[in-house]
Amino acid sequence: MLKSKNTLFILSTVLVFSLLLSGMVSAQETTFLSIATGGTSGTYYPIGGAIAKVLNENIDDMNASAQSTGASVTNTRLIYNQEVELAILQNDIASYAVNGERQFEGNQVNNMSGIASLYPEVIQIIVRNDAGIKSIADLKGKSVAVGAPGSGAEANANQILNFFGLTYDDIQEDYLSFGEAASRLKNRQIDAAFLTAGIPTAAVMDVAATQDITLLNFSDEDIASLNESYPYLTGVTVPAGTYNGLDNDIQTVALKAILVAESSLSEEVVYNITKAIFENRDTLIAAHDRARDITLEGAKSGMTVELHPGAQKYYDEVK
């Protein structure tokens, strides 16, 4: 009888350890992904959240989540430090990073691979109508939000001001996120703000609901010259009616938002990510209208880093 009890105890113990081990193995099989996006009032955050939703709903054992961050430059450093697995950023910042140029000189990022080009990011210079600003030159002496520290918007603000012969010494610069800039514009605490985002941008819509605003217009010559100096900047039109009170088309410049991965992600994982994104576009579009620009035809257009093998495998399959 004692022997039977001992045997039962041993079998029970083995069963418990087997169940525990099974649980451990199961947990190990779950893929956890953090997606670095941007501020909550921009376009990266809702797009990134929608991508996380698509991955969780369409890939087995996937646990993806979107993180609000300082955007492009910050996201690049998060990838470099292997603190996130996926990130959305501007294609110019990505190029500078992988080539060790400009702000990444001496700090080349060698572990970033491309998944897909997403949509155009429009550089919008928002001004209060009563601030007396009709051109870039009129920003001199004004209080201007230049973007959050470590953001692509701030990099663009610096580039454009310098192109037109201005520096931060000529303005009262404020390093603000999109949401903070919107709040300050509404309260008349700043005169203008640089925002780089897909249109319509939630932060700009917020301001336009209570303030009379406009966007600074670039001439054809300005756009051609900017493109010559910064090849990633191309001309784009913000249509009249995009924002409340915007009665005329506005010419400005835009870049591309791209989705990148930390290069050590497996080919299988990135293949599944790429497949899920393009086969569930409706979910992305429901989150933000800009996702309509996420198409297979444009998936590699404007991509400035080498594609991850998993993404390339999917594109080869759907040719």
Side-chain angles (χ1 to χ4, degrees):
M1 187 72 174
L2 183 59
K3 186 176 180 181
S4 298
K5 285 183 178 180
N6 286 340
T7 302
L8 182 60
F9 174 77
I10 291 169
L11 289 173
S12 299
T13 302
V14 169
L15 179 60
V16 167
F17 276 108
S18 297
L19 289 171
L20 286 172
L21 183 60
S22 173
M24 289 170 65
V25 171
S26 176
Q28 290 171 350
E29 290 176 349
T30 300
T31 300
F32 292 90
L33 294 180
S34 290
I35 307 172
T37 62
T40 56
S41 296
T43 311
Y44 285 5
Y45 187 71
I47 292 289
I51 290 173
K53 177 180 170 67
V54 161
L55 302 188
N56 291 335
E57 291 179 351
N58 295 279
I59 303 176
D60 292 339
D61 299 312
M62 174 64 69
N63 187 327
S65 60
Q67 292 184 12
S68 175
T69 71
S72 292
V73 177
T74 298
N75 292 355
T76 302
R77 291 177 177 142
L78 289 170
I79 287 282
Y80 179 73
N81 293 323
Q82 296 184 308
E83 295 177 54
V84 298
E85 290 73 33
L86 302 179
I88 304 174
L89 60 150
Q90 294 174 192
N91 63 345
D92 60 335
I93 301 299
S95 177
Y96 301 150
V98 297
N99 291 299
E101 298 172 346
R102 300 182 186 272
Q103 62 264 62
F104 296 96
E105 188 173 350
N107 292 287
Q108 184 177 10
V109 177
N110 53 15
N111 65 326
M112 185 163 67
S113 302
I115 294 180
S117 289
L118 301 178
Y119 56 85
E121 288 206 88
V122 180
I123 297 177
Q124 304 164 77
I125 308 173
I126 317 301
V127 300
R128 294 195 346 257
N129 281 356
D130 59 0
I133 301 170
K134 303 298 182 185
S135 67
I136 298 288
D138 294 335
L139 292 174
K140 188 170 184 177
K142 301 293 186 181
S143 180
V144 183
V146 295
S151 67
E154 195 274 323
N156 298 145
N158 204 349
Q159 289 170 344
I160 289 173
L161 287 169
N162 291 344
F163 182 83
F164 286 96
L166 298 176
T167 69
Y168 287 169
D169 290 337
D170 297 307
I171 64 172
Q172 300 170 45
E173 82 275 14
D174 240 328
Y175 296 89
L176 303 174
S177 69
F178 292 177
E180 291 167 337
S183 178
R184 299 279 185 92
L185 279 169
K186 287 196 296 184
N187 294 330
R188 299 174 181 272
Q189 294 172 302
I190 59 173
D191 303 304
F194 281 81
L195 286 80
T196 303
I199 57 171
T201 308
V204 184
M205 295 173 70
D206 186 27
V207 179
T210 59
Q211 286 276 354
D212 292 330
I213 62 165
T214 192
L215 277 62
L216 291 188
N217 190 72
F218 289 80
S219 68
D220 292 338
E221 293 76 14
D222 290 339
I223 291 170
S225 297
L226 278 164
N227 177 254
E228 188 174 341
S229 297
Y230 303 104
Y232 306 115
L233 296 180
T234 57
V236 67
T237 298
V238 179
T242 299
Y243 302 114
N244 183 47
L246 190 68
D247 298 326
N248 301 303
D249 290 350
I250 296 291
Q251 282 195 143
T252 182
V253 286
L255 314 111
K256 272 290 185 73
I258 62 174
L259 179 67
V260 301
E262 202 281 311
S263 297
S264 66
L265 278 182
S266 73
E267 180 176 315
E268 180 185 6
V269 167
V270 176
Y271 170 86
N272 289 334
I273 289 169
T274 312
K275 179 182 174 71
I277 287 170
F278 286 102
E279 295 186 2
N280 296 277
R281 287 179 64 247
D282 288 350
T283 300
L284 303 181
I285 292 168
H288 197 289
D289 195 57
R290 197 74 282 130
R292 294 182 187 278
D293 292 317
I294 302 174
T295 64
L296 273 173
E297 293 73 22
K300 294 183 279 187
S301 174
M303 177 57 68
T304 51
V305 300
E306 186 175 344
L307 282 174
H308 192 287
Q312 186 63 63
K313 178 182 177 182
Y314 178 73
Y315 297 137
D316 289 343
E317 281 186 5
V318 295
K319 275 183 179 177

